[in-house]
Amino acid sequence: MPLHLRGTVLPEGVVRDVWALGDRLTFDRPSGPADTVADGGFLLPGLVDVHTHPGAAEGETVFDPAVFAEQIAAHRDAGTTALRFPGLLGDVPAEVRDAPDAPRMITAGRWLAWAGLSKNAGFHTVTADLVTAAVAEAKANDGWCKLMADWDFEAPPVPHELLRTVVEAVHAAGGRVAAHCQSAEGVLGAARAGIDSIEHGMGMPEECVGLMAAHGTAYVPTLTAFARSAPQIKSTARGRLWQEGHRTMIRRVREAHDAGVTVLAGTDSAPFGNVATEVEHLIAAGLPAESAVGAASWTARAFLGLPALTEGALADITVYDADPRREPAVLRHPRRIVLRGRVIR
């Protein structure tokens, strides 16, 4: 039996009737009876976390399929219906990815670290041939690869020319590139290279904002992770760089938005299913509330190639009692969650 929902469709702000026919939405009333699962409220096309790394308990670097399933379920139960993994410790278990109640998943394979970087954490895949590795990861996954543009505040990052070659090769193969950036030189090199998404952006020079706007680069600041870690960093030279980087990221969020850069919501931290907190951090950084909510919903879906609430779209809807553009805290309390045309809550 089709599912029927009626409410204010966001971001348009128009009251409409929506039906889920299997895993597709329609605004045309189907023949026969339907099961009304929501009447009133505000309808979002599902929340999105564009930067999350499930699969390991906190502090661990070994992929655990059971932990992955638990953390995915936490995302889902919070109304997060789509996820991008810019780096995983292992492969997504097929039985989890294909489950009828699983969020949409977009993978980028493993973290890629060029062998010429000053240091590499143990969970990175180190390669001397970053171009070939990046193309292979993008082809093997969902069109994305994830690389480390730097891994140190002061040591030289991946050379700009190499980054540009990676971007050109991956784009030629039909893929996109996400880059971890923390040093000023690393962010600047990634922005000049036309990377598709800059993750974190600590130490981002002001000129990067214009470069991102010109290249269509998205900015994923992951403020939740840094708001959590910055106060815990000891007062050392590196700690001070870390804390200043956090403050820089906050400043650049509004500047990027005002320049026309797509700013997106990614948590990069536990607890999973906590993208509402990232929305709140984006608002505190100066992003308009509607843009912050979109960063975790319709804007993020468009960036990932997923439709919003349109005719024939995927049947992912979260329903809220209040308008999250005016009351963002309501994102923590979805009244109804429909995923893949099934009622989750």
Side-chain angles (χ1 to χ4, degrees):
M1 180 182 297
L3 301 180
H4 168 238
L5 304 93
R6 179 177 176 80
T8 302
V9 173
L10 297 181
E12 291 80 7
V14 178
V15 177
R16 303 195 69 173
D17 291 280
V18 184
W19 287 267
L21 299 174
D23 193 20
R24 290 295 181 270
L25 299 177
T26 182
F27 297 118
D28 296 326
R29 183 191 297 272
S31 60
D35 182 11
T36 299
V37 296
D39 189 356
F42 293 81
L43 312 184
L44 268 69
L47 295 177
V48 183
D49 191 331
V50 300
H51 190 126
T52 181
H53 304 293
E58 189 166 7
E60 299 293 328
T61 58
V62 177
F63 188 81
D64 185 330
V67 172
F68 180 87
E70 291 174 2
Q71 293 167 343
I72 289 297
H75 276 300
R76 178 202 65 211
D77 293 346
T80 311
T81 61
L83 305 165
R84 183 184 64 149
F85 309 135
L88 281 182
L89 293 169
D91 296 326
V92 178
E95 64 273 16
V96 177
R97 180 165 190 154
D98 298 336
D101 60 351
R104 319 282 175 177
M105 302 180 201
I106 295 175
T107 68
R110 292 166 174 78
W111 293 264
L112 297 175
W114 178 54
L117 286 179
S118 62
K119 61 180 76 171
N120 301 293
F123 55 84
H124 298 151
T125 299
V126 180
T127 176
D129 188 349
L130 192 60
V131 177
T132 299
V135 171
E137 287 296 331
K139 288 183 175 180
N141 292 283
D142 295 300
W144 279 92
C145 64
K146 168 70 178 294
L147 57 87
M148 315 303 294
D150 56 25
W151 191 246
D152 193 282
F153 281 108
E154 297 174 331
V158 177
H160 162 71
E161 295 77 11
L162 177 55
L163 288 179
R164 184 66 211 167
T165 302
V166 168
V167 171
E168 290 173 349
V170 173
H171 284 182
R176 292 197 280 179
V177 184
H180 165 105
C181 303
Q182 63 187 54
S183 69
E185 191 177 352
V187 184
L188 184 58
R192 287 175 173 168
I195 292 288
D196 295 283
S197 70
I198 287 178
E199 317 292 314
H200 319 307
M202 300 173 73
M204 180 187 292
E206 188 174 354
E207 65 182 289
C208 290
V209 172
L211 290 168
M212 288 191 293
H215 288 297
T217 300
Y219 182 33
V220 188
T222 63
L223 296 176
T224 299
F226 287 87
R228 178 187 181 194
S229 63
Q232 303 170 0
I233 300 294
K234 295 181 179 179
S235 182
T236 62
R238 188 177 188 280
R240 287 189 291 273
L241 286 169
W242 188 276
Q243 292 165 347
E244 178 56 33
H246 179 223
R247 291 189 288 268
T248 297
M249 291 157 60
I250 292 172
R251 290 197 300 273
R252 297 291 180 254
V253 163
R254 181 57 191 251
E255 294 170 359
H257 171 268
D258 289 348
V261 174
T262 298
V263 178
L264 299 174
T267 57
D268 190 29
S269 63
F272 294 84
N274 194 33
V275 76
T277 295
E278 185 68 14
V279 171
E280 292 167 355
H281 283 300
L282 292 174
I283 294 171
L287 216 64
E290 181 162 354
S291 297
V293 175
S297 183
W298 54 84
T299 304
R301 292 182 75 89
F303 178 74
L304 295 176
L306 301 172
L309 298 184
T310 58
E311 181 67 33
L314 299 170
D316 302 336
I317 301 178
T318 50
V319 184
Y320 300 92
D321 289 325
D323 188 341
R325 301 172 301 178
R326 293 173 174 80
E327 300 181 35
V330 78
L331 291 175
R332 299 180 182 280
H333 308 288
R335 183 211 304 173
R336 180 72 72 196
I337 301 169
V338 174
L339 174 59
R340 300 179 187 260
R342 297 164 57 94
V343 175
I344 302 300
R345 176 189 298 176

